[in-house]
Amino acid sequence: SDQQAGRQAQLRMLPEPLYKTGLTISHQVISSLMLSGDFLDYFELDQRRLVFYVADVSGHGASSAFVTVLLKNLTYRLRRNLRRGSSDDLYDPSRVLERINSELLASQLGKHLTIVYAIYDFVTSEMVYSVGGHLPMPVLVSQGKAQYLEGSGMPVGLFAKAQYQNYHCTLPEPFNLWMFSDGILEIIEQPTLND
């Protein structure tokens, strides 16, 4: 019953599908265990920008699921700080990864995660994102072609002096952007996403 209660709490942290300005954002979580270290979130940052990320916490079970709660709490606090005018870290993906890195290290839970954190601008179709060791990279599909986004970076929560960089791209119209945890490789029939 504890596992089921934890699973319900984790599911309640996930966002509802979002529809805005011709953009549809939805997700599917298929857990291998009752509690999962895979997590995602998306929310409107302001009138023209949307934040979205996918993260994969090391390990499985309750300890990894607990880190997803910390991650959700951190982004909630950063949103609150933005509203109060005390921090604008949410506008800079690399700074968000640095914040998550320092908080995970300070927690001393012995956990790390991989993540892609992005901001999409509805007006300009520009996206800025930062990568924290995440594989597979998001796949951009447009005009019948699929390609991985570029970028790399160190996992989050392992190294105190880890540095992260921002990547920029303009998304074509129309487009689909697919983001996964490495769990996708366990459920697809093909040996890789390249097939």
Side-chain angles (χ1 to χ4, degrees):
S1 64
D2 286 345
Q3 294 266 332
Q4 289 175 341
R7 175 73 177 148
Q8 288 305 311
Q10 204 170 28
L11 289 174
R12 282 193 294 273
M13 292 190 313
L14 293 171
E16 294 293 323
L18 190 143
Y19 309 95
K20 182 171 177 85
T21 318
L23 192 68
T24 300
I25 301 177
S26 61
H27 64 273
Q28 182 176 14
V29 177
I30 303 170
S31 296
S32 59
L33 298 173
M34 184 78 69
L35 297 173
S36 174
D38 292 350
F39 191 69
L40 61 96
D41 200 4
Y42 42 84
F43 52 87
E44 291 183 63
L45 185 56
D46 56 31
Q47 293 295 322
R48 59 183 285 176
R49 294 177 187 89
L50 175 79
V51 164
F52 56 97
Y53 65 85
V54 61
D56 184 359
V57 181
S58 60
H60 300 283
S63 60
S64 296
F66 180 71
V67 175
T68 67
V69 175
L70 291 177
L71 183 59
K72 178 74 172 188
N73 181 265
L74 173 61
T75 56
Y76 172 79
R77 284 185 286 130
L78 290 173
R79 290 170 76 180
R80 185 187 61 207
N81 292 346
L82 182 62
R83 285 192 301 271
R84 292 178 176 172
S86 62
S87 166
D88 64 352
D89 285 349
L90 279 178
Y91 283 103
D92 186 327
S94 64
R95 283 201 327 243
V96 172
L97 268 55
E98 288 168 4
R99 289 285 301 268
I100 298 168
N101 190 59
S102 63
E103 293 219 5
L104 267 180
L105 288 168
S107 74
Q108 298 183 338
L109 293 171
K111 290 287 183 179
H112 67 278
L113 59 86
T114 66
I115 186 170
V116 175
Y117 175 98
I119 301 170
Y120 176 69
D121 187 317
F122 297 111
V123 176
T124 64
S125 296
E126 291 185 22
M127 184 172 71
V128 59
Y129 62 97
S130 192
V131 181
H134 195 79
L135 291 172
M137 284 295 289
V139 176
L140 177 63
V141 180
S142 181
Q143 299 177 357
K145 296 180 182 176
Q147 65 185 45
Y148 290 108
L149 293 182
E150 68 174 27
S152 63
M154 302 176 88
V156 179
L158 279 179
F159 306 104
K161 296 186 179 185
Q163 294 183 336
Y164 303 96
Q165 72 179 77
N166 288 331
Y167 296 88
H168 301 263
C169 66
T170 301
L171 297 179
E173 294 290 339
F175 74 89
N176 285 302
L177 185 64
W178 296 88
M179 299 174 74
F180 315 93
S181 75
D182 61 3
I184 189 70
L185 302 174
E186 297 173 16
I187 62 170
I188 60 173
E189 294 179 10
Q190 298 83 359
T192 73
L193 285 177
N194 296 334
D195 294 340

